[in-house]
Amino acid sequence: MKVLHFVTGGFSGATKVAVDLITAHNQIESVESLLVLRRKKTTVAKKLTELDQIGVDYRIVTGSTHLATVYELKQLCEQWQPDILVAHGFPEHLLGRRAGLLAKVPHLVQVEHNSRERYTPWKRYQTCQLSKATDTVVAVSEGVAQVLAQQNLQAPIQAIANGIDTTRFGGVNLLPITDRPQDLIMVGRYAKSKDHVTLIKAMHKLKQKGVMPNLTLVGDGRARYKKEVKALVESYALESQVNFIDYSSEVDKLLLQHKVFVMSSRFEGLNLAVLEAMASGCVVIGSTAVGVEELINDKQDGFLFQIGDARQLADTIELVLSNPAEYQPLAEAAREKALKKYDKSHVSQAYYELFQQLLEG
């Protein structure tokens, strides 16, 4: 079984899922996997070195134009001859399946990682047309599956929830919330969909009330949006409270130092950072966005706030930090859920079974 995974070289959540699948399937003798990245500005040597270190076989195709990407990927498919091409995310699922059709790859799979993408009418038309030649469309959450069900796709839709490496996040002898030295953390790329702005506004409202927690922001992404977030921090005079970390290979260690994890997204596919924080024993506060809301039972294993509601977010942060010990049971319940339901071994097994069905069917 030869499986080619095509995904953005931006090392987003979609890239992480593809890498995790390949790493897991590399342990199966009957599976040969190849990762193909569409070059982006953030396809940097440091991240590629990490792929080498974990033994992921990868190639890079141009990202200069969509036409050039399809041409290079078609040639690569003709050389490598995969049985299955898995195209992750937008617009890669359009480019990947187009190249796969041209190269006569036997089986095509689309993986939709988000609940809302920048589809023009033309892109939507392409998606529907390509679905006729697609074996299966995989949604990374039930919320995404519900969105896809409204798009008149011709291929069957299957939900396979994303998962995390529960052996990496958390571990044994976790510090209780009260003993953790840092207050708030958010891990996510800089993009409007992540809505860092609402979190910074919540920090400002807390400061006005005399509550001044520290906040760690981890992630890279769009320079323009990051500049906007930094400018907002400066305008509210929050520089002493907010620590920016562009990229870290030790997010697992950072999470263990923080009491509260915040995810202020406006929309998602299924947010892996939320699951990592749950497994790490943080109290998780998330927005009611698709891909976040379904992970959290409000006031049972975390807290939910309405998308974009900085005041509600500020009130929830203040509530938790005023008496962290009271919310230790929520952190423990969240950790148990992440370990039982969202371990990535379940995900890799589900994809392997799907691939087997395609080849047998």
Side-chain angles (χ1 to χ4, degrees):
M1 180 193 301
K2 297 181 72 174
V3 184
L4 186 153
H5 292 265
F6 177 59
V7 68
T8 174
F11 287 85
S12 64
T15 316
K16 180 178 175 61
V17 170
V19 170
D20 283 346
L21 287 174
I22 291 172
T23 304
H25 291 164
N26 279 348
Q27 309 305 313
I28 303 173
E29 189 174 340
S30 61
V31 181
E32 184 179 357
S33 299
L34 177 67
L35 177 68
V36 181
L37 302 170
R38 183 167 78 100
R39 186 177 291 280
K40 307 281 283 186
K41 291 181 179 179
T42 47
T43 311
V44 296
K46 181 177 181 180
K47 295 177 181 179
L48 296 175
T49 299
E50 291 178 5
L51 295 179
D52 291 323
Q53 291 171 346
I54 59 177
V56 171
D57 187 12
Y58 68 89
R59 308 285 190 279
I60 300 173
V61 295
T62 183
S64 58
T65 66
H66 285 185
L67 198 61
T69 299
V70 170
Y71 177 74
E72 286 194 13
L73 182 57
K74 170 184 174 290
Q75 286 190 311
L76 182 54
C77 287
E78 289 173 341
Q79 294 166 8
W80 200 68
Q81 295 192 338
D83 300 305
I84 303 169
L85 187 152
V86 186
H88 296 261
F90 176 84
E92 281 74 21
H93 72 73
L94 297 176
L95 307 177
R97 287 183 291 166
R98 181 66 65 194
L101 278 175
L102 293 172
K104 296 182 172 57
V105 175
H107 300 285
L108 303 178
V109 176
Q110 173 194 348
V111 183
E112 185 59 82
H113 289 265
N114 219 324
S115 59
R116 190 189 308 172
E117 291 289 4
R118 300 182 300 277
Y119 285 106
T120 64
W122 170 237
K123 298 294 186 186
R124 180 69 66 204
Y125 173 77
Q126 290 183 60
T127 299
C128 291
Q129 290 299 110
L130 284 168
S131 71
K132 297 175 183 178
T134 301
D135 292 80
T136 302
V137 178
V138 176
V140 300
S141 70
E142 292 294 341
V144 172
Q146 292 170 14
V147 172
L148 290 172
Q150 302 170 15
Q151 295 181 4
N152 299 316
L153 303 180
Q154 302 299 306
I157 299 168
Q158 177 178 349
I160 301 178
N162 281 345
I164 61 168
D165 183 356
T166 56
T167 64
R168 176 186 173 195
F169 291 92
V172 295
N173 300 320
L174 298 184
L175 285 177
I177 302 302
T178 50
D179 293 347
R180 299 189 177 196
Q182 305 297 321
D183 297 322
L184 310 175
I185 184 170
M186 175 172 169
V187 181
R189 73 185 189 280
Y190 288 92
K192 285 194 174 181
S193 63
K194 298 298 182 185
D195 196 12
H196 293 73
V197 167
T198 291
L199 176 53
I200 300 305
K201 288 181 177 179
M203 291 284 289
H204 175 57
K205 292 182 182 299
L206 288 168
K207 184 178 180 180
Q208 289 178 318
K209 298 167 68 174
V211 180
M212 299 179 64
N214 55 64
L215 166 65
T216 304
L217 295 177
V218 185
D220 49 18
R222 293 184 179 273
R224 183 177 65 179
Y225 187 62
K226 184 175 183 180
K227 184 178 180 181
E228 178 184 337
V229 173
K230 285 191 170 184
L232 193 62
V233 167
E234 292 174 6
S235 70
Y236 289 146
L238 296 170
E239 297 96 325
S240 63
Q241 294 174 242
V242 181
N243 178 31
F244 290 88
I245 300 177
D246 292 340
Y247 174 75
S248 174
S249 59
E250 296 185 332
V251 171
D252 52 334
K253 295 178 182 178
L254 288 172
L255 289 171
L256 295 176
Q257 298 170 16
H258 288 78
K259 299 178 179 72
V260 178
F261 178 91
V262 179
M263 180 49 63
S264 52
S265 287
R266 292 187 172 272
F267 58 89
E268 289 284 347
L270 186 135
N271 192 281
L272 295 176
V274 169
L275 293 175
E276 292 168 353
M278 292 167 71
S280 301
C282 301
V283 175
V284 175
I285 303 174
S287 69
T288 51
V290 172
V292 175
E293 184 177 24
E294 69 183 74
L295 299 176
I296 301 169
N297 289 324
D298 191 34
K299 298 180 179 64
Q300 295 181 38
D301 51 31
F303 292 92
L304 292 170
F305 68 97
Q306 292 299 311
I307 295 171
D309 192 334
R311 184 173 299 280
Q312 185 185 10
L313 174 55
D315 290 344
T316 306
I317 291 172
E318 182 180 12
L319 179 71
V320 175
L321 292 183
S322 65
N323 187 8
E326 183 177 345
Y327 302 101
Q328 183 67 39
L330 274 71
E332 293 171 359
R335 173 168 164 75
E336 184 178 0
K337 178 195 283 187
L339 297 183
K340 286 186 176 181
K341 293 185 62 177
Y342 293 103
D343 186 273
K344 69 179 183 180
S345 62
H346 304 320
V347 185
S348 61
Q349 181 62 28
Y351 274 92
Y352 177 63
E353 291 173 0
L354 169 62
F355 297 160
Q356 281 188 312
Q357 290 167 11
L358 294 182
L359 295 183
E360 293 169 0

